[in-house]
Amino acid sequence: MNVPIIISGGGIIGNYISVRLKRHNIESLIIEKSSEPQDFSAGIRTLTLNNHTLSLLQKEKIEVETAPIDQINALDGEGTGRIKFLSDDIGENFLSHVVMFNELKNKLAKACHERTVFNNQIESIQNLNQNDTNEVLLSNGSSIEAKIIAGCDGRKSNVAKISGLSNKSSEYNQTAITFICKADKNFDRKIAHQVFSEKGIFAVMPMPDRESIDNRCTIVWSVNNKNLEGLSINDFVSSNLSFFESKLGIKLKIDSQLLNFQLSNHHFENYINNSIVLIGDAAHSIHPLAGQGINIGFADADIFCEEVVGAYNKGIAINEAAVLKKYEIRRKGMNLLMLKSMDFFVYFFNDNNSYIRLLRNWGLKTVNKTGFIKAFFTRHASGLNKI
Ligand SMILES: Cc1cc2nc3c(=O)[nH]c(=O)nc-3n(C[C@H](O)[C@H](O)[C@H](O)COP(=O)(O)OP(=O)(O)OC[C@H]3O[C@@H](n4cnc5c(N)ncnc54)[C@H](O)[C@@H]3O)c2cc1C
């Protein structure tokens, strides 16, 4: 079998790339390790998509239910500092859109179903005839020839391991806890809140809820592991939730199971090795505090497709070194900047030193009063400045 592009990983990013390339008549085959999805429930996990990501999905006619946000309030839990980011500040209707992870993943997976091989993974990649074609061996024993192998297989990427590319990673020693709540009437469904506190970074956002009867919202709460020592996640949440309720003036009733994830980051020094390309979480992962992980994955996928489609339309080989290098050059610096900015926020708001606390309060108030700095952050968060 012969196909121009093999995509390892049928997650959101891998499937999006396949859908977009198909629109431009470029065939791809997705190799997905897990079995065919059977669970079509909405689930608990949400994703915050910026305006740019949403427009990329709309172009591919992938429609999902959204909870749009036009204001984000960031507060210092131990002080009085706060910043309000408004969509009006940047002349947009909304800053971001909360969607259900499963709904988006399943819609994209459905669009790619006929070109996905489930329960399989790449075992080896062998370069044939001077870089032009690669022989890809799968775990089911079959062999496929491809020009490009796109690693979209997440933060433990198998393709990255095979490529021999090297990365830098670090642990945050934090756990992200996520769950759904029913909020009282004080919760405005267009506003997201984020509280930076010694009890963790606590984000509350509206979630898609067609009828809005239950006023449901989603919580993403990053907690230092030392605060969890000797406590179950349930005990920690039930004894600390009231702190954030009183800080925000909103009553929250837990309405789902509590999911938790260990937090770490990683970044590959190079995203390409010959015809192997790393995209999305396979190339980098960041702290979820600003909800940007999938957005920078989409920004990668956008540029990757732009370069490959551009080369294809000009009759240039799609795996030409310069084509893939351009993708790496256009994305690596931006991704690294995002990763470093997230790390700065995590460490700055994690420090209990009283001078740092004063600086935090002063910083939040100053940025809030300085229109152009605020607009700069808001434009980045909403995806207006391509991240
Ligand atoms: C608690 C939490 C909250 C988050 N919230 C947000 C948010 O609000 N907004 C946001 O932008 N981002 C958020 N993120 C980050 C976001 O979830 C990820 O960036 C995103 O899921 C990455 O997508 P991906 O397709 O690159 O990788 P993945 O979602 O990891 O998909 C990888 C796919 O590859 C498959 N696979 C794995 N190994 C192999 C293999 N060997 N062979 C073949 N297939 C394989 C997997 O089964 C999967 O289908 C959050 C993350 C966490 C932990």
Side-chain angles (χ1 to χ4, degrees), residues 74-83 196 344-345 347-370 377:
L75 294 82
D76 188 341
E78 274 75 40
T80 51
R82 57 177 62 215
I83 309 186
F196 293 86
F344 168 78
F345 278 106
Y347 294 114
F348 190 56
F349 284 97
N350 219 357
D351 204 312
N352 290 329
N353 177 305
S354 47
Y355 293 108
I356 300 282
R357 219 185 272 170
L358 276 174
L359 190 64
R360 251 174 5 216
N361 261 293
W362 174 83
L364 286 172
K365 285 177 184 162
T366 308
V367 172
N368 199 37
K369 280 190 220 142
T370 319
F377 283 124

Side-chain angles (χ1 to χ4, degrees), residues 7-15 30-35 45-50 53 97-99 101 105 117 119-122 151-159 161 175-178 205 219-222 259-263 279-298 387:
I7 297 171
S8 172
I12 292 172
I13 297 301
N15 286 332
I30 299 168
I31 313 298
E32 168 58 43
K33 189 176 165 185
S34 58
S35 39
R45 275 188 74 181
T46 54
L47 286 170
T48 317
L49 307 184
N50 65 29
T53 299
H97 312 260
V98 182
V99 302
F101 185 97
K105 187 171 173 182
V117 182
N119 292 316
N120 235 302
Q121 67 170 354
I122 296 176
C152 303
D153 41 5
R155 55 174 64 205
K156 299 216 166 88
S157 170
N158 175 43
V159 163
K161 271 184 217 129
T175 301
I177 307 168
T178 184
M205 293 157 286
I219 310 290
V220 181
W221 187 352
S222 315
L259 300 183
N260 67 86
F261 305 85
Q262 282 307 304
L263 295 179
I279 303 168
D281 269 25
H284 44 72
S285 56
I286 62 170
H287 196 284
L289 86 93
Q292 291 296 345
I294 199 86
N295 292 305
I296 61 174
F298 269 101
I387 48 172

Side-chain angles (χ1 to χ4, degrees), residues 207-222:
M207 61 181 283
D209 182 2
R210 206 163 273 139
E211 283 93 32
S212 298
I213 303 168
D214 291 333
N215 218 12
R216 293 204 309 162
C217 55
T218 170
I219 310 290
V220 181
W221 187 352
S222 315

Side-chain angles (χ1 to χ4, degrees), residues 221-240:
W221 187 352
S222 315
V223 182
N224 284 338
N225 286 346
K226 64 177 178 352
N227 291 352
L228 293 169
E229 274 168 19
L231 283 176
S232 70
I233 299 277
N234 279 293
D235 289 344
F236 176 84
V237 168
S238 50
S239 44
N240 289 288

